[in-house]
Amino acid sequence: MRSLLTLETVAQLGLIYFLFLVGVETDSQVIHRSGQKAFIIGAAGAILSFGISAAAGLALRNFLSQGMKRISCVLFIGVCNSATAFPVLAQILAKTKLLNSEIGRITISAAMANNAIMWILFTLALSVSEYDPLSSLWITLSGFAFVTFCIVFVRPVMRRLVQRIPEGQLASDFHVCLLLSFMMLAGVLTEAIGIYAITGAFLVGFMIPNGPVKVAVSEKTHDIVYGIMMPLYCIISGLKTDLTLIHRNNAQAAAIIILVSVLGAVAKIVGIFIVSGMYTMTLRDGLTLGFLLNSRGLIELLILNIGRIKQLVDEQSFSVMVLISVVMTVVTTPVASYLQRPLRRIVGYKRRNLQRSKPDMELRVLACVHNTRNVPSIITLLDVTCPTKRSPIFVYVVHLIELAGRTSTMLIVHSSDHLHQRPTMGASGPQGQGNHIFHAFDKYERQTGGVSVQTLSIISPYSSMHEDICSLAEDKHVTIIIIPFHKQQTVDGGLEPINPNLKIMNENVLANSPCSVGILIDRGLSSKSRHASEDHHLSRRIALLFFGGTDDREALAYCWRAVENPSIGLTVVRFVPVHEPSPPPSALELQEAKLDDDYLNEFRVRNASNDSVVYVDQVTSSTEETVAAIRAMGDTHDLYVVGRSQSEAATSLTAGLTEWAECPELGPIGDLLASSDFAMSVSVLVVHQYVGTIPGVPPPGPTAGDDGEQRFMNHVNPKASFAATT
C-alpha cells in the first residue's frame, strides 16, 4: 500500500504536468484562423452532448445508486461526454492520414473549441457539486477572477519574456524553471479556490505565447511526462477500475449510465452533423467530424477521478465510464478510416505532371521552404515558370518546421488578414522566420499578375514530414512539388549540409510523391543575371541537358512553359551517343526513344520562330566526354534543368557516375552538377516525373488516338510580359 501511495503521488504530479503541456500545445491562433465554422461546430458538439446527457440523467436520476450525489454525478457524466481527448484525436488523425487534410484541420480547431467549452462546464459542475450555495458562488467567482488575472497580467508578462529572447535562440533553463515554478504556484492557488490544480496548470500553459519558451518547455518536459508519469496515472486508474462491479452491484444503475453516455455521444454526432451541413460540408465529412470529436482519453479519465475523489461518482459508475471511454476511442479510428479513406482512393486527378498539363490551365505548385534563405530562389523560379492570367499559377507555400513543442503533426493555414499585418521584430525562431517568409510571398502575389499564393506551415518530425507533404499535394491536386536541396551555398561558393535529416526527407518525397518533384539547388538564382548585359532583352538564361527518358521529358515540359516568357533564353543540349548501343535496344527502349524524339520534335517545331531558344546536338561516346562537355558549358547560364534519371539508351554516357554519387537522389547528372568537385556556380533544378497510373487515365506521353493538331493548339500560348521579381 505504501508503494501504491507513492506511485499515486507521482501520477497526480504527472497529471498536473500533463494538463500544463496540453495548455502549452493548444494554439489559440489555430481556432482564430479557422474562423467561425470550426468554433461553432466544436461548441455545438460540447453543449449538445452535455445538455442531452444532463437532461437524460436528471430524468432518470432516481434509478442511480443512492449512496452518491445524483445531480452532481449526472453533471459530471455530461462533462465527460462533452470532452474530446485532443492528444488522442491528433494521433488518430495522423494514423488515418487525415491530419493535413481539410477535414483534419477543421477537426483540430473544433476540438480546441470543444475543450474550451468543456473546461467552463467542468468549472461550473465543480461549483454546483458543493452543498453550500456560498461555497459554490465563491468557487465560481474566484475561478473567473483567476482566469481574468491570467489574461490581463500573466499573458502580457509571458509575451514580454518571449520578446526579450534573441532571435534564433532557445529559452534557457532558468526560463523553463521559472515557468514550471509559476505553474505549480498557480496549481496551489486553483486547488485552494476549489477548481483543482490541473485548471491552474492548464491556464498557465495556455498563456505561453508561441516562441522559444514554448518550444523549450515542451522539449524538456515532454518525454518524462508522456513516457513515465502519464503511464503511471493510467496504471493507477486501471487498478481502481473493477469491471465486476458493473453486473455485481446495481445493474440497473449501470444500464442508465450507459444509456446516458450513448445519448450524449449520439447528440454530439447528430449536432455536429447538422451544423456541418449548414456550412455545406458533405455527409461523409459531417459524420467523420462527429465520430472524431467523440474520441475519449486522459481528459475524461481525470474528470472521472476527480468525481470519484469527491464522491460524486461511485466505483461502479467510474468503472462503467472508463469502459465506455475505451470503447468510444477504439471505435473512432476504424469509423473515420471507413468514412474517409475509400473516398480518397477513388478521387484522382489527371494533371500529376507537367507533361500532361495544358498551358492554358492553372498550374498548381507546392513550394517547400525551410528558412528565409530559400525564399528568393523559390520566387525567382516561380517567375521563370511564366505565370500569366491565361496560364496562372497557384502556389501552396509550405514552411517546414521540425516538430518541437507538440505531440503530433500540425498543419497551419495562414489567412490573408494575418499576413497583411507587419511582422514583429521581436518574433524569434520558426515563428519569426515564418512571418517574414509569408510576407515575402504575399508581396510577390500582390505585385505579380497570374499568381495566387496560399501559405501554410507543417510542424512535423523530419522522419514523417514527407507523408504530410505528399498528403497535402494530393489533397490540393498539385502538379509539381518544389523542395530545396539539403545543402546551401557558403560564402566561398561551396555547398554545406543544413541538416542530414533533410536529405532523407527529400528521398522520401521522391519515393512517395503523388505528382512530379523538382529539387532546387540554389547558387544565387535570385541574384541579377550575369549574362543580362550580353542580351539586353533576356533576364535569365536556362540550359536543359537532355539525355532521354521520362524525367528528361518532364524537364523539357518545364522549360517549354518557361520559354513562353520572352525574357527567358533557353539552350536545349541533347546528348547523343556516337555508337549504337550493344546489345541492340529492346522494344521498350525503342518505344522510349520514339517518345523522346516525338516530344523534342514537337517542341522544336512549335518554337521554331522563337529566337530565344537554341537547340544543340552534343555527340559523345563516353562518360568522360559527357562530363567534359558539361564542364565546357561553364557558368554561361543561370539555371541548369536536368532530369533525375536518364533513358537506358544513354547509360553509356553516364556510366560510372552513379557509383561515385554523393547524392544519388539527384541522379547521375544532377549529382555531378551539385558536386563540390565540379567548379560551377550555377543553380540546378532536378526534375522527377510522376509516372504512376490512374484508373481510366492513360500514361504520360503520346498515345494512340492523340490528335496532333489538338496537341499543337494546346502548346500555343501568347508570350506574356515578364513580371520582374521584387
Side-chain angles (χ1 to χ4, degrees):
M1 291 298 294
R2 183 175 299 176
S3 60
L4 187 62
L5 180 62
T6 302
L7 290 178
E8 188 170 359
T9 303
V10 176
Q12 291 298 326
L13 183 62
L15 180 62
I16 296 174
Y17 276 95
F18 169 73
L19 265 297
F20 172 68
L21 284 180
V22 170
V24 169
E25 294 163 2
T26 302
D27 191 352
S28 59
Q29 294 180 2
V30 173
I31 303 176
H32 176 72
R33 284 190 293 262
S34 300
Q36 186 181 20
K37 177 169 70 173
F39 178 80
I40 291 180
I41 289 175
I47 294 173
L48 286 174
S49 180
F50 175 81
I52 296 298
S53 299
L58 290 174
L60 302 172
R61 65 182 183 276
N62 292 330
F63 296 97
L64 298 176
S65 300
Q66 298 181 357
M68 60 180 179
K69 304 175 184 178
R70 294 176 176 176
I71 295 179
S72 299
C73 176
V74 168
L75 293 178
F76 263 71
I77 293 175
V79 172
C80 290
N81 289 333
S82 67
T84 297
F86 180 78
V88 175
L89 176 63
Q91 293 296 330
I92 292 175
L93 290 173
K95 290 179 181 178
T96 54
K97 306 298 181 184
L98 297 175
L99 189 60
N100 290 335
S101 63
E102 181 69 14
I103 185 68
R105 182 177 64 84
I106 295 175
T107 301
I108 290 293
S109 303
M112 291 183 180
N114 182 99
N115 281 353
I117 301 297
M118 182 274 297
W119 281 112
I120 297 175
L121 296 175
F122 173 68
T123 304
L124 293 176
L126 280 177
S127 62
V128 171
S129 65
E130 298 294 331
Y131 285 114
D132 188 1
L134 291 178
S135 298
S136 299
L137 181 63
W138 160 255
I139 292 175
T140 304
L141 295 178
S142 300
F144 279 106
F146 182 79
V147 173
T148 304
F149 173 78
C150 289
I151 295 174
V152 175
F153 295 101
V154 176
R155 191 169 183 82
V157 172
M158 297 281 190
R159 188 177 293 111
R160 188 172 302 175
L161 178 66
V162 170
Q163 292 177 351
R164 294 181 64 180
I165 298 176
E167 184 172 353
Q169 295 186 13
L170 291 177
S172 64
D173 293 341
F174 171 77
H175 294 110
V176 175
C177 293
L178 183 64
L179 285 175
L180 293 180
S181 300
F182 183 72
M183 179 266 294
M184 297 301 294
L185 177 61
V188 172
L189 289 176
T190 50
E191 185 75 25
I193 290 172
I195 54 176
Y196 282 85
I198 57 174
T199 306
F202 173 81
L203 283 173
V204 172
F206 185 72
M207 292 300 154
I208 301 176
N210 292 331
V213 174
K214 176 176 284 192
V215 172
V217 168
S218 184
E219 285 181 343
K220 294 181 184 298
T221 58
H222 181 277
D223 291 341
I224 188 171
V225 172
Y226 282 90
I228 299 177
M229 291 182 169
M230 290 318 298
L232 285 177
Y233 183 80
C234 294
I235 291 173
I236 296 298
S237 299
L239 291 174
K240 295 178 179 178
T241 302
D242 189 357
L243 297 180
T244 61
L245 295 175
I246 297 177
H247 63 85
R248 192 170 61 193
N249 288 357
N250 189 353
Q252 188 181 42
I256 294 300
I257 293 175
I258 294 174
L259 176 62
V260 170
S261 299
V262 170
L263 288 175
V266 172
K268 179 179 280 191
I269 295 173
V270 173
I272 291 174
F273 175 75
I274 294 174
V275 174
S276 61
M278 295 170 58
Y279 285 97
T280 66
M281 295 181 66
T282 63
L283 172 68
R284 285 173 175 261
D285 288 347
L287 289 176
T288 303
L289 266 173
F291 277 97
L292 287 173
L293 292 179
N294 259 313
S295 58
R296 310 291 174 84
L298 288 171
I299 301 295
E300 184 186 27
L301 195 60
L302 72 90
I303 294 174
L304 289 173
N305 273 302
I306 291 174
R308 184 181 56 80
I309 293 172
K310 293 178 69 67
Q311 297 182 348
L312 304 176
V313 179
D314 62 4
E315 297 296 335
Q316 183 190 38
S317 301
F318 176 84
S319 300
V320 171
M321 291 299 297
V322 169
L323 181 61
I324 293 173
S325 175
V326 173
V327 171
M328 288 298 300
T329 303
V330 169
V331 168
T332 299
T333 301
V335 170
S337 300
Y338 175 77
L339 290 174
Q340 291 291 318
R341 295 309 295 175
L343 181 64
R344 290 168 59 85
R345 292 192 192 102
I346 295 172
V347 176
Y349 60 101
K350 297 180 180 179
R351 293 179 295 277
R352 292 175 181 256
N353 58 55
L354 293 168
Q355 192 177 348
R356 294 197 64 86
S357 299
K358 297 180 180 180
D360 57 346
M361 297 188 67
E362 181 183 72
L363 174 65
R364 297 195 173 191
V365 179
L366 194 154
C368 299
V369 178
H370 296 293
N371 50 50
T372 53
R373 291 191 60 175
N374 302 141
V375 174
S377 58
I378 293 292
I379 290 179
T380 303
L381 188 66
L382 294 175
D383 247 349
V384 170
T385 313
C386 188
T388 64
K389 292 184 178 180
R390 183 174 181 266
S391 181
I393 299 178
F394 197 106
V395 187
Y396 296 95
V397 179
V398 182
H399 183 203
L400 304 179
I401 305 172
E402 186 178 12
L403 178 64
R406 293 187 182 274
T407 58
S408 59
T409 302
M410 289 294 294
L411 173 71
I412 303 174
V413 180
H414 301 272
S415 65
S416 58
D417 293 338
H418 175 71
L419 291 176
H420 289 161
Q421 301 173 3
R422 294 184 61 85
T424 56
M425 298 302 295
S428 58
Q431 182 189 14
Q433 287 204 30
N435 288 337
H436 292 289
I437 289 169
F438 300 141
H439 277 273
F441 280 98
D442 181 56
K443 181 180 179 181
Y444 173 68
E445 178 186 16
R446 287 186 277 111
Q447 296 183 353
T448 306
V451 176
S452 300
V453 177
Q454 172 67 69
T455 53
L456 310 96
S457 295
I458 288 180
I459 307 174
S460 173
Y462 284 132
S463 59
S464 61
M465 190 174 285
H466 66 280
E467 298 178 1
D468 307 314
I469 296 172
C470 295
S471 176
L472 180 62
E474 187 171 6
D475 288 337
K476 303 300 183 182
H477 290 192
V478 167
T479 301
I480 185 169
I481 301 173
I482 303 296
I483 50 179
F485 191 43
H486 69 276
K487 296 181 180 181
Q488 63 185 11
Q489 191 176 27
T490 58
V491 178
D492 58 359
L495 294 174
E496 64 176 4
I498 306 172
N499 188 325
N501 294 321
L502 297 183
K503 182 178 186 295
I504 300 175
M505 187 203 75
N506 289 351
E507 293 173 349
N508 291 332
V509 171
L510 288 167
N512 298 279
S513 173
C515 60
S516 295
V517 179
I519 299 180
L520 178 60
I521 305 167
D522 180 31
R523 290 193 179 106
L525 179 62
S526 60
S527 60
K528 186 177 180 180
S529 175
R530 298 182 293 270
H531 317 288
S533 59
E534 302 173 9
D535 293 286
H536 296 289
H537 70 287
L538 298 180
S539 63
R540 290 285 186 277
R541 284 182 172 271
I542 303 175
L544 170 66
L545 308 183
F546 192 93
F547 291 83
T550 56
D551 290 348
D552 280 16
R553 292 197 296 273
E554 186 74 354
L556 177 59
Y558 172 80
C559 294
W560 196 328
R561 183 182 178 98
V563 296
E564 299 297 336
N565 191 324
S567 300
I568 298 298
L570 173 66
T571 301
V572 179
V573 182
R574 184 180 189 183
F575 287 83
V576 181
V578 67
H579 301 295
E580 290 293 329
S582 179
S586 63
L588 183 61
E589 292 175 355
L590 290 174
Q591 182 183 8
E592 190 77 13
K594 185 178 184 302
L595 292 176
D596 293 336
D597 292 337
D598 290 346
Y599 201 55
L600 272 170
N601 291 334
E602 185 178 358
F603 172 79
R604 295 184 68 177
V605 171
R606 305 310 171 225
N607 291 277
S609 60
N610 192 341
D611 296 334
S612 301
V613 178
V614 178
Y615 187 88
V616 178
D617 277 330
Q618 182 69 50
V619 180
T620 56
S621 60
S622 63
T623 303
E624 291 77 9
E625 291 186 10
T626 300
V627 174
I630 297 176
R631 194 184 299 273
M633 296 176 65
D635 297 341
T636 56
H637 296 80
D638 302 293
L639 176 67
Y640 280 112
V641 181
V642 299
R644 179 175 177 239
S645 60
Q646 286 71 44
S647 63
E648 292 293 330
T651 52
S652 61
L653 306 183
T654 60
L657 293 179
T658 304
E659 288 76 6
W660 296 94
E662 182 183 355
C663 302
E665 74 275 11
L666 299 179
I669 303 301
D671 177 76
L672 175 68
L673 294 172
S675 173
S676 57
D677 299 330
F678 208 68
M680 298 179 67
S681 58
V682 182
S683 299
V684 182
L685 179 64
V686 180
V687 181
H688 171 69
Q689 184 184 68
Y690 175 83
V691 293
T693 57
I694 310 171
V697 180
T703 57
D706 276 351
D707 189 347
E709 181 65 20
Q710 181 61 42
R711 286 189 286 119
F712 166 77
M713 295 302 297
N714 286 342
H715 286 288
V716 174
N717 190 0
K719 297 178 182 179
S721 59
F722 178 74
T725 304
T726 54

